[in-house]
Amino acid sequence: MTRWTPDPTFYPSPREAVTAPAEKLAYVAAFDRTASRPDAIVVLDTDPDSPDYGSVVGWTDLPHLGDELHHFGWNACSSALCPTAPHPHVERRYLIVPGLRSSRIHVLDTQPDPRQPQVIKVIGPEELAKRAGYSRPHTVHCGPDGIYLSALGGADGAEGPGGIAILDHTTFEVRGAWEADRGPQFLAYDVWWHLTQDVLVTSEWGTPSMIEDGIIGELLLGRRYGHAIHFWDLAKRRHVQRVDLGDQYQMPLELRPAHDPTKSYGFVGVVISVEDLSASIWLWHRDGDAWAVTKVIDIPAEPADPADLPDLLKPFGAVPPLVTDIDLSVDDRFLYVSCWGTGELRQYDVSDPLHPVQTGSVHLGGIVRRTAHPSAPDEALAGGPQMVEVSRDGRRVYVSNSLYGAWDDQFYPDGVGAWLAKLDVDVDAGGLTPDERFFPHGDEFRGLRVHQTRLQGGDASSDSYCFP
Amino acid sequence: MTVATWATLAALGAFHGLNPAMGWLFAVARGLQERSRMALLRSLLPIAAGHLASVGIVAALVTATRSVTASTALAVVGGVVLVAFGLWRLLSERHFRWAGMRLSAAQLAGWSFLMSSAHGAGLMLLPVLVAEPVPGGHSGHLTAAPVGALPGLAAAGVHTVAMLGTALVIAMLVYQVFGVGVLRRAWFNVDRLWAGVLVAAGLVTLIRA
């Protein structure tokens, strides 16, 4: 897998990455909630000139049952151009696909036929446990020196601490835990970094028992889920600072640092405030030598008839937006915010990161609204925009509708269904429009639920750049 | 040493300077981070110093030992090491990460030293140094070692000056003229070539032995 010239999908800077050609294929993690059939990586055709545009053109079943595929990522990306460990002649070729429930890690080769990825390696939960002391692998990032994989749980049934495991670049073996000193960090979820500033950031969800059977109302109201983010020294692997958002802000999940490596800020989405069910977006930024957070977006809950609400929400008479994913365009201009509860994808212009301006909104699904897709106006949709992925040029946004098996069942008890939508972006004025030609849904996914999407060649949440 | 020897040492220096992994890319990155050409220039000096230390140790050892031991044995062992190391570099895809991006000058020199050593930069000079005739006079006496190391250090110096000059020119061109976008197109796989040169250097050393 060494090349004579750099992998053409690697870009030294975000400025250049936005000129990347449009993706022809998208990979989607799909899982069977009943664990009676294998989970799969589904391949979608995203080439508008293809007769198969917007439909499933490839399908790779995984070898076991009950994995619950969630997030996944590439083995290598633009960070391979970074000067500390430069090796841009590797290929962006393998998908690292963890099972969040099974703790198995799959390696899929997307060559020679990108439409039919092949499973070439499966790392069992015992190897992750033995070598790194973790379980429930979650976020995958291609680092310059290895593959970083966050994990929510501890080994051998321990609830935690969760943390980061490092996988070898070439053998994909688990090398060990990343942390040299974790300080007060216990809960884990997402991880990303300011690579050129030797800063790593992590967020918090809950331990396996707090999430695997659904959200636990008492724990939520007791403010027991995560509510802080952590800053680390990326080079020394040491905890530097814990920044508490306040315990009413439960579950700061997705971390989206600025792609411009000279910038020192990023966004984190908070699922819910227990005080008013609102969701929020916070900006982390430097404050002298330390880090600070500032709430920059607040999305209120929408009042609703309790009869229309699932049991968990009936006492509140309102639908929480439930911001469960966010994504930042590669040019750092637009932030996309998934409101999975209310069924909305919002677009904000964050050119001034402290003062976002909403520039677009699309409704699809939602606990009460059930907004249909324009190409199938008679089909009420369950679920909502959840995982959101932005193309490198920022012109296309893909959303899928499932959050996490047990949580889907709680918030959409009549069934969450399966659908994926593509939205076109007006990159000049801002604004979002659903593409009527791109709406794979229902039986196309063979009864599986769809979670994260990864775009061929990379996307807005896969690559890190060392040059401005 | 002959003119050809100096020229070869300088040419190898230029080859090392050409390799982005030997440090000019790091200097460009720091220059771009701080939007300052001075940051680029300031970074190249410790990088060259680290390279000089790595190459200098090997070169000094070789010329010093050569003045006290049989040259054939040294050449054979050196040649075998070179070939083996070259093959290992050729076949190995491992990359080490010693440090982050924010480094002091001393740390940068340390990084460069490790990077050069891990790539066998000094070993590559072996055929040139071994080919040199043994300095006359005190051959066979251990007291000759300190003096014997001098040609090696001079060789490392010439090599490093050529390395620094090449790195400086490329770094400035990328920083000022081409932009880092050129990396995507022009960065051919120096590692493979590097490994090939190591093997070739080893073979030359063995043949001459």
Side-chain angles (χ1 to χ4, degrees), chain B residues 128-143:
Chain B
V128 185
L129 301 170
V130 167
E132 276 300 294
V134 177
H138 299 288
S139 174
H141 294 283
L142 211 59
T143 47

Side-chain angles (χ1 to χ4, degrees), chain A residues 2-4 6 8 10-12 16 81 83-84 86-89 144-145 168 170 196-198 261-262 466-468, chain B residues 21 25-26 28-29 32-33 35 93-97 99-102 111 115 180-181 183-184 187-190 192:
Chain A
T2 11
R3 300 166 43 89
W4 276 109
F10 297 169
Y11 291 85
E16 276 151 303
L81 286 158
T84 48
H87 50 103
H89 306 100
D145 55 332
D168 188 275
T170 49
T196 60
Q197 301 168 41
D198 298 335
T262 64
C466 274
F467 304 90
Chain B
L25 188 61
F26 213 141
V28 169
L32 288 169
Q33 294 297 317
R35 303 191 191 287
E93 288 173 3
R94 284 181 171 276
H95 284 83
F96 77 96
R97 177 177 161 120
M101 283 283 288
R102 296 283 158 116
W111 173 85
M115 207 69 176
V180 285
L183 292 173
R184 305 186 60 239
W187 189 346
F188 65 96
N189 195 337
V190 186
R192 280 195 188 179

